[in-house]
Amino acid sequence: MKKLNWNDYVKVKLTEYGQDIYYHQYDDVIAKGAKINRHYCKTDDKGFSQFQLWNFMKIFGSYIGMTCQNVVEDISFYIDESILEEVSNDQK
């Protein structure tokens, strides 16, 4: 078994809906007068966006569920294998 820390980075391919959620994530504080420059999430040349796992959950968690519109294209996280840690039998 392997483990992934919530502070580690994952990659996803956001849908247009996911990009819209990302863009509007601070609308409530902007409405209260905060000066925040909204922007769409950066993507690499293959269309992936990178997030710390905890931040992805914070932004998109309430939009994920059985009957919800997908925020990522293939409902998958892409993880660099080098950050996964092997878990010994006594940690399981």
Side-chain angles (χ1 to χ4, degrees), residues 23-89:
Y23 183 86
H24 291 285
Q25 66 183 303
Y26 298 115
D27 283 358
D28 56 337
V29 293
I30 291 171
K32 294 177 184 176
K35 302 282 185 193
I36 297 175
N37 293 325
R38 287 188 275 194
H39 62 281
Y40 290 100
C41 190
K42 294 178 185 175
T43 59
D44 65 16
D45 59 339
K46 295 181 180 178
F48 287 99
S49 299
Q50 182 172 277
F51 296 89
Q52 279 186 293
L53 181 55
W54 70 264
N55 196 34
F56 180 87
M57 293 186 301
K58 179 178 151 268
I59 296 168
F60 299 103
S62 63
Y63 297 94
I64 297 172
M66 286 295 291
T67 60
C68 297
Q69 185 175 348
N70 288 344
V71 298
V72 297
E73 286 187 9
D74 61 356
I75 62 170
S76 297
F77 288 121
Y78 292 82
I79 303 165
D80 183 338
E81 289 185 40
S82 68
I83 64 173
L84 297 174
E85 294 180 44
E86 193 67 41
V87 178
S88 65
N89 285 334

